[in-house]
Amino acid sequence: TDHLGLTWIASGDGAYILFQKPTYFKANLADQDPLVSCRGFAEDTQGNIYSVTLVGAFILRPSTGMIQLMPFSNEIYGQAVIADTQGKIWITGEQNFLHCYTPATQQFTSYVLNVVEPFFSGWSIQQIRTGQLLIGTTNGLFTKNPLDKENPTPFTKLNGYNTLTESCIYHILETDEGIWLTTDHGLFLVDMNTGVKEHIDKESANLPN
């Protein structure tokens, strides 16, 4: 061992230096039982991180290193989470609820998506340029005004593309063309004012599913 604390080993293949491997990452929630399955992250205006998992929703506070289980999260199998332009945290999960948390007041509000399916899940959520929240579910698209107290409502401007209501929406992307939805039935392009503009799948455009 030299004066730097490094261990040198001489061998028939040359000299080797042994040193301790640096720690590149800090693991969070790795000690949970059962093990968590992290589905999404969001950051509030104070730099706190919200993680939704299949065993609840957690707040990670980087400034202190503290991890806190959110009070309602024992009932949540989280799927998606975002922070809106007002700083509120919105959470979807494997049930017909949309949860909202206001960090400034530590207030929770839950909204109900009116469905009767035996299994229902909110797979994705996005806030678009108008401020409206779009919720992608196992039964199509729902919308929510984040400034009112009304429950989310299903998007009904289908223009004959009724397959959307039977589709699971995995991701939502807003572009200048409109709102793109990736689903288990291909891609849908939606204009929020005029309705579904296009459905792209294997039959219409050779898009493999």
Side-chain angles (χ1 to χ4, degrees), residues 94-134:
E94 290 187 2
Q95 71 277 88
N96 62 329
F97 291 100
L98 173 66
H99 303 280
C100 178
Y101 174 66
T102 306
T105 61
Q106 298 185 355
Q107 179 181 1
F108 293 94
T109 308
S110 294
Y111 302 91
V112 178
L113 286 74
N114 188 20
V115 291
V116 294
E117 298 294 328
F119 174 79
F120 181 84
S121 180
W123 272 88
S124 54
I125 184 170
Q126 186 65 267
Q127 186 174 36
I128 58 175
R129 297 166 189 170
T130 62
Q132 194 174 24
L133 296 178
L134 303 186

Side-chain angles (χ1 to χ4, degrees), residues 69-89:
L69 182 67
M70 299 181 78
F72 60 68
S73 58
N74 60 332
E75 301 175 357
I76 285 184
Y77 299 92
Q79 292 283 18
V81 57
I82 62 164
D84 72 12
T85 55
Q86 303 296 317
K88 294 181 179 180
I89 306 300

Side-chain angles (χ1 to χ4, degrees), residues 67-198:
I67 300 175
Q68 173 188 353
L69 182 67
M70 299 181 78
F72 60 68
S73 58
N74 60 332
E75 301 175 357
I76 285 184
Y77 299 92
Q79 292 283 18
V81 57
I82 62 164
D84 72 12
T85 55
Q86 303 296 317
K88 294 181 179 180
I89 306 300
W90 297 86
I91 297 172
T92 68
E94 290 187 2
Q95 71 277 88
N96 62 329
F97 291 100
L98 173 66
H99 303 280
C100 178
Y101 174 66
T102 306
T105 61
Q106 298 185 355
Q107 179 181 1
F108 293 94
T109 308
S110 294
Y111 302 91
V112 178
L113 286 74
N114 188 20
V115 291
V116 294
E117 298 294 328
F119 174 79
F120 181 84
S121 180
W123 272 88
S124 54
I125 184 170
Q126 186 65 267
Q127 186 174 36
I128 58 175
R129 297 166 189 170
T130 62
Q132 194 174 24
L133 296 178
L134 303 186
I135 305 144
T137 78
T138 48
N139 290 89
L141 185 66
F142 284 71
T143 64
K144 170 78 176 85
N145 182 346
L147 301 180
D148 67 26
K149 297 181 179 181
E150 301 298 321
N151 288 322
T153 57
F155 182 74
T156 57
K157 298 177 182 178
L158 302 176
N159 296 336
Y161 296 101
N162 297 337
T163 306
L164 179 58
T165 62
E166 304 169 1
S167 300
C168 180
I169 301 173
Y170 298 115
H171 190 69
I172 302 168
L173 175 68
E174 183 176 21
T175 70
D176 291 338
E177 297 173 289
I179 309 296
W180 287 96
L181 309 175
T182 67
T183 80
D184 55 350
H185 290 113
L187 298 173
F188 290 85
L189 178 60
V190 177
D191 182 283
M192 297 307 296
N193 294 317
T194 63
V196 180
K197 299 169 62 176
E198 191 174 4

